[in-house]
Amino acid sequence: AQLKLIEKQIEKVTQKLKSISSTYPEVAFLDSFPGIGFVGSVTLSALIDIPERFSTVKKIWIYCGYGLDHPSSGGSMGRARITKRGNRYLKDVIGIAAHNIISLCKNENRYKAYYDFNVTHGKEASHVKSNLCRKLIKDIWLEWKKFNRLAEPQAV
C-alpha cells in the first residue's frame, strides 16, 4: 500500500514538474539530446540558466565537473586529471547521459559511434567516457547558445 502511495506521489510530482517546465522552451530543447531525458534537461536548465555566462567551453567543463586540471609540483607539470571542482548535480546528469548513450541507446548516434570507435581501437573505456562527457557538454553548450539567439525577440 505504501509503495502504491509513493508511486502516485511520484507521478503527481512528475506531472507538476512537466506542467511548470512547459513554460521554459529550453527544457524541451535539452531533452532532444540523446541520453539527457526530462529530469536531466530540467536540471541543466535550472543550474546552467543561460549558456552565455560561460565564455569558453573549458569554463563550462569545469562547472560541470569534467574540466581538466594539471597539478604541478617542483616546477613540473603532472598528468591531466579531471578536476574535483564543479557542480555534483551537473556531473551526475552528464555522467548518467553518457551511461545512457553507451549502454541503453538503441539508436545509433554520433556519441555512441565515437565511444565504440575509440574503445575498439584500444583506448581506455573510462578515458573515452570522460571525453564523451566533455564532447556532450560542448555540443549542448554550443547548440543552446544558438537556440537562445534564435529564440530572442527581434528588435524592430
Side-chain angles (χ1 to χ4, degrees):
Q2 288 179 341
L3 184 59
K4 287 182 181 180
L5 178 64
I6 291 171
E7 287 174 349
K8 286 181 183 180
Q9 287 176 336
I10 290 172
E11 189 176 318
K12 276 184 176 180
V13 168
T14 304
Q15 288 175 352
K16 182 78 171 168
L17 189 58
K18 285 184 179 182
S19 69
I20 292 170
S21 69
S22 65
T23 61
Y24 299 95
E26 65 269 9
V27 172
F29 165 75
L30 293 168
D31 197 16
S32 68
F33 281 89
I36 297 293
F38 175 70
V39 173
S41 61
V42 170
T43 305
L44 283 169
S45 175
L47 295 176
I48 292 178
D49 192 27
I50 54 170
E52 290 81 9
R53 67 184 241 214
F54 301 98
S55 58
T56 66
V57 71
K58 289 179 182 182
K59 289 182 181 180
I60 194 166
W61 285 344
I62 290 170
Y63 186 67
C64 291
Y66 283 97
L68 295 176
D69 192 16
H70 296 276
S72 63
S73 177
S76 63
M77 293 293 285
R79 238 179 37 171
R81 299 169 192 248
I82 292 180
T83 183
K84 298 287 185 188
R85 297 180 293 166
N87 188 305
R88 289 298 312 168
Y89 297 116
L90 288 175
K91 187 168 187 171
D92 289 344
V93 165
I94 299 298
I96 290 169
H99 172 76
N100 290 343
I101 289 168
I102 294 166
S103 304
L104 304 176
C105 277
K106 306 234 183 315
N107 302 341
E108 191 64 28
N109 60 57
R110 61 186 169 149
Y111 303 108
K112 187 169 179 61
Y114 170 83
Y115 180 83
D116 292 340
F117 176 82
N118 284 295
V119 169
T120 55
H121 283 79
K123 293 193 177 175
E124 183 74 32
S126 61
H127 294 168
V128 176
K129 184 176 179 184
S130 297
N131 289 338
L132 175 69
C133 290
R134 281 189 287 280
K135 185 177 181 61
L136 185 60
I137 292 167
K138 179 183 177 183
D139 290 348
I140 289 171
W141 179 66
L142 291 172
E143 293 298 319
W144 195 355
K145 284 172 44 172
K146 286 181 194 173
F147 176 79
N148 284 352
R149 278 195 299 269
L150 293 174
E152 285 179 356
Q154 300 298 322
V156 178

